[in-house]
Amino acid sequence: MLSLPKLLAIVASFTAVPAFAAITFTNIADKQKYQDTRTFTVVADPLAVTTTAAIDGIAIAVGSSVTITDVRYHELRAESRDAGGALVDSKLVRFIIHAGVREGSEDGIPPHTPFKSVPDAPSAFVGKTLNVSAPAAWPVGMPVPAAVMLRDGADENVRLNGIVNFGGFPLATATMRRGWGSVQIPAATAAGTTDFAASVNSLTTSRAITFEAAPVFTTVSGALASNTNWPANSRIHVTGTLTVNAGVTLTIGAGTIVKIYTGTATNGSAAEIRVDGALQVNGTEANPIVFCPDTPGQRWGGIELRTATSLVNAQHAFFTGSGEDENWTGNNSGVAGSSHQAEQMLFLVVGSGSGTAFGAQLQLTNCFCIDNQQIMNSKTNTRIDLSRTLYQRAITSGELNGCLLTIDRCALIEFPSETGNFVNDDNDGLYLTNGDLSITNTVIGFTKDDGVDSGGSGGDNPYTAATDITPYLSQNNWYEGITHEGNSLSGTREVNFIGCVFLNCGQGVEAGYSEGTLNGPNATTDGCLFVSNMVGVRWGDNYGSGYSYNQTHEVRNSIVLNSLYKDCLSGQWHPSQTNAWIYQTTALNTFGRQYFNVHNNYLSQPDPAHHPNNLAWNPAANGALLAPFMPVPGSNVGVAISSYAPAQSDTSAYPGTFTVRLSTFSSQAVSVGYSVIGKADAFGSGETVLATGTLNFAAGETLKTITAAVASPGNYGLLRVALTNPVNAEVTGEAWYFKTPVTTPLISLASTGWRYRETRSEPPAAWKTLAFDDSSAATEWLACTLPAGFGVTGVTFGTTATRGPDNDITRAFYFRKKFTVTNPATVPGLTFRIRRDDAAAVWLNNDATPTVLSADGSFVAPYTYAMTGTATLVPNSTNTGNYLTYTIPASKLVAGVNILAIEVHQTSLNSGDLILDCELIPDPSLELRLTHAGGQPVLYWFDATALLEESVDLGAWLPAPGAASPLPFSTDLPKQFFRLRK
C-alpha cells in the first residue's frame, strides 16, 4: 500500500504536465465576427513534433502573428502530429471578416460597388426605334421633363445602354439604361417651336415642342363635389389641397399641365391631391399630361388614395417633383402602410377593401414618374398595376404592403442614382410585403440597396386560399448594377424566378430569413442567368436572435458565371442560430424541403462537395447558350474603360490601373487591344507608346483589368488609354488625361483681407456697395480672415466671431471682400463655393437681389431686424462640413475693383455654431484645342458648360449634339470648322 505522501507525489507529477496535447490560438475564436481585420497567432502543440496551420487551404506561419483583412467567411485549420506522423490534435476555427462599411448587412461577403454601366455597340441599335415622350407644349421658364425608350419592331423594350443627344437642346443628354431614360431639359427662355431632334448612335427621331410665353393657368383647390372635366391642353394651377370627393370623377384631357403649389418660407405646406373618388388621366403618346411643381427646384406633396373607392387611372402622363415633406411618415403616423423611408410618397394607396375585395386602385400605363422622393406606398387589399411605366431617380420606389401588384414591361432604375459610392441604406428599387405579386419583362437596377427587397410577409395573403404563403412571380426581368441583392427574400413567400438576368449585383437572389416557424421563403430559380455578381445565388443571411431559417432555395436549369466571390453560397453566420456556420445543402427544413438545392446548372465555380449535380461552364462549347439572354442575341457588345471618374481628367490623376468592361455578356469570345499613349506636350506632334497589351474575354466574361503604371504622370501634357482592334465588340469609351490649365481664384478659401460686422443691429443700407466705408472698427467693421465663425467641431477659425449673450445671439453676420479683375471679357464664367452655417445671401457688385442664396431650404434675404417675430430665422444647416457649389455669370464682374458682400444668417436666437468660408473661381478659359492621338485628330477643352458648334462654310453654325471633351473626329469632309460658345 502506498503511503499518502507518495500518492500525493504521483498525483503532482501527473498534473504538472498536460495529459493531452492541445493546439491553442490567441486573439481569435470559433464562430465569431471581426470588423475589417484580425491579427492572431496559432500556438504550437507543446507535446507534438509538428504543428501546421492554414487559412482557407493556404498555409500560414505557426507561432507568429498573422493578420487577415480579406472580407469573407474564413476557415482556420490547424493540426499537430507526433514523430511518426500520427495525428495528435486537430482544430477548426470559423470566423468572419466583416466590412465595416456594410454596417449590419451581408456578413462574410465583400462589399460590392457596382461597376459603371458601359454603352452598347452602335451596331446593336440598327433596326431599332428611338421613342421620345415629352409635352407637346410647355411654358417658358420651367424645366421640361422628357423620357426616351428603345423599342424593336414589335414595340418591345430593347435592353441596350446608350447616350441620347438632343439636337434642339444640345446641352441636354439622357443616359439610356437598358432601353429606358429620362431628363429634365433646362427651361427655355423664349417662345417658339423646337424639335428635340433626338439621336442615339444611328437612330434619330423628330418630336416638336412649342414653348408658350405666358400661358394662363386656372387656379383650383378645395373639394370637387361633382364630376369635373379639365379639357385637353388645360393649364391648371393647384394652389391648395384638392380633393376629389367619393362618387366624383375628375377627368383630365391630353396635353394638360397641372402645376402644384410647393409652399413658401412663410407657408411651408405644399399642396396635395386627395382622390376619394376617381382621377382619370387621359394623356396620349403625342400629347402627354404633366404633373409638376409650380416652382422649379421645389417639391409639391403627393396624390393620396385613402378610401376604398379611390381610383387613379393614368395613361401617358409625367409625374415629377413630389415629396415635399421629408418626414411624412413621422408627421402622419399610422396613415401609410409600413415604410422603410420617411419621405412623402407620390402615390399613397392605403384605402383598404373589405375581405378579398379591392379597395384603392392605382393604374399607370405609359407613364413616367421621374425625380420624385418616395414613389408609392400601400396597405392590404389595395391594387397597383403598372404597365410600360418608368420609375427613375427617387430615394426608393417605396414599400408595398399587402396589395395585389402587377408590374409588366416597366423600368425601375436609379435609386437614387448610379454613382461610385457604397451606401448601406434602404434605397431599394422596390420593397414588398405580403400581397399577390407579379413582376414581368421589367428592368430593375442601379440601386444603392436591393433591386427588390421582398421582406416580411406581414400576415396572410388576402388574395389566395393558402394561408401564410405569399405568391411572387419574377419572370423575364433584368436586374443590374445593384449594390446589395438583385432580389432578396424573407418572410412567408413562395417565389418563382423564371428567365431573369442578374448582372453586376452584390448578390443575385438571396433566400433570407423565415418568419417565425412558418413556411418560407421558398425560392425556385429556373432558367435564369447570373453574370459578374459578387455572389450568384445564396441561401441564408446574417440576422441573429429573433429570426428563424426555415427557407429553401432551389436553383435549376440556370447559368451562374464569373462571380467575384462565389457562384453559390450557403450560410448564415450568427452565434445565436442553432443551424449557423453550416453549409446547408442536402438537409431538409421542417416542411420537408431541401434548404439549398442547386442542380442541373452550369457553374463557372464547380463545387462537387456541396453541389455535385451541376456542369462546369465551358465558354467555348457553351457560349451559344447566352445568346437568348442578350439584349440583341449574337450582336457585338460595347467595350469601354469603366470608371466613375470624369472621361477627361488631369494627367496627375492617372491611376495606373483600369477596369475594362463589356456592356453586357457575349455569347462569343471578345478581344480588344489597348495602348497607353503619352505626349509631353498635348499641342506637340510627338507621342510615345508607354504600354500595350490584349484583353481576351471568354463567352460570359465581362471584366478585365489593365495595369500600366506611368512614372510622374503629371509631367505629361496628354495621356490616353486607347482600346483598339476589337473583335465581336465595338469601343464605346476610353480614358483621357490632359494637363489642366492652372486657374487662380479671385477669392481663395481661408483668405485674408475681409471685413466683417457682428453688431446686433441692421447695417447701413449701403453696406453692399463698393463705396461703403468699412475701413475701421469705428465704422463697426473689423478685419477678418476666413474661415470665420464659432462652435463648429474640427475647424480652425481664422477669425472667431463674437457669439453674443445667450438667447440674444447676433442674428446675422455681414462680410465684405474687395478684389480686382483687369479684363472681365477673358472670364467665361464664375464658380462660387461656400461652406456656411446656417444660411447665406451673397451679392456680387450690389446686385438688386442676392446673386446666390445658399440654405438647406428657402429663406428670405436680405435679412432685417424687423423680421424677429419668430425664433426660427432660417432653415437649420445639416451640411456644415460641405462646400456647396453655385454658378455665377461672368457678366456680374466689372473691370477694376469688385465687391463681394455676404450675409450669414442664424437658424435660431441661441444657435451654437456659425461658419463662413468661400472661394470665387473663374471658369477655365473658353479655348478649343486640337491634338492628335493614335493618328486621329482630337478636339478638347476644359469648360464643361461650353457648347461646341460646327460648320462647313463658316456661315451656318450648328450645335454638335452631345459633344463632350475630348472629341475625336473624322476628317472625311474637305472642310470642317469648330468653335466653342457660352
Side-chain angles (χ1 to χ4, degrees), residues 115-117 175 177 414-420 446 448 644:
F115 297 96
K116 191 175 187 298
S117 55
T175 299
R177 291 177 171 84
E414 284 195 283
F415 300 98
S417 59
E418 184 188 24
T419 57
F446 313 102
K448 293 300 183 186
Y644 288 100

Side-chain angles (χ1 to χ4, degrees), residues 146-191:
V148 294
M149 297 141 286
L150 189 65
R151 300 287 169 81
D152 62 14
D155 199 30
E156 296 290 346
N157 171 241
V158 182
R159 295 168 175 171
L160 294 176
N161 296 331
I163 303 297
V164 179
N165 299 306
F166 303 97
F169 306 98
L171 293 181
T173 60
T175 299
M176 180 180 286
R177 291 177 171 84
R178 297 305 165 201
W180 294 85
S182 67
V183 64
Q184 298 273 5
I185 292 175
T189 57

Side-chain angles (χ1 to χ4, degrees), residues 46 244 353 490 623 671 825:
V244 181
S490 53
S671 66

Side-chain angles (χ1 to χ4, degrees), residues 718-792:
L718 163 66
L719 289 168
R720 175 195 179 194
V721 185
L723 301 179
T724 59
N725 303 317
V727 176
N728 295 323
E730 295 162 33
V731 176
T732 57
E734 298 181 338
W736 295 79
Y737 300 86
F738 293 91
K739 185 176 287 296
T740 305
V742 177
T743 300
T744 302
L746 300 173
I747 296 175
S748 302
L749 294 174
S751 62
T752 60
W754 287 80
R755 307 291 294 180
Y756 90 109
R757 181 181 185 276
E758 60 186 17
T759 305
R760 291 187 293 282
S761 63
E762 191 174 346
W767 78 275
K768 299 188 293 292
T769 66
L770 180 65
F772 178 76
D773 181 11
D774 64 5
S775 60
S776 69
T779 63
E780 299 182 325
W781 291 82
L782 307 173
C784 179
T785 297
L786 299 189
F790 55 82
V792 179

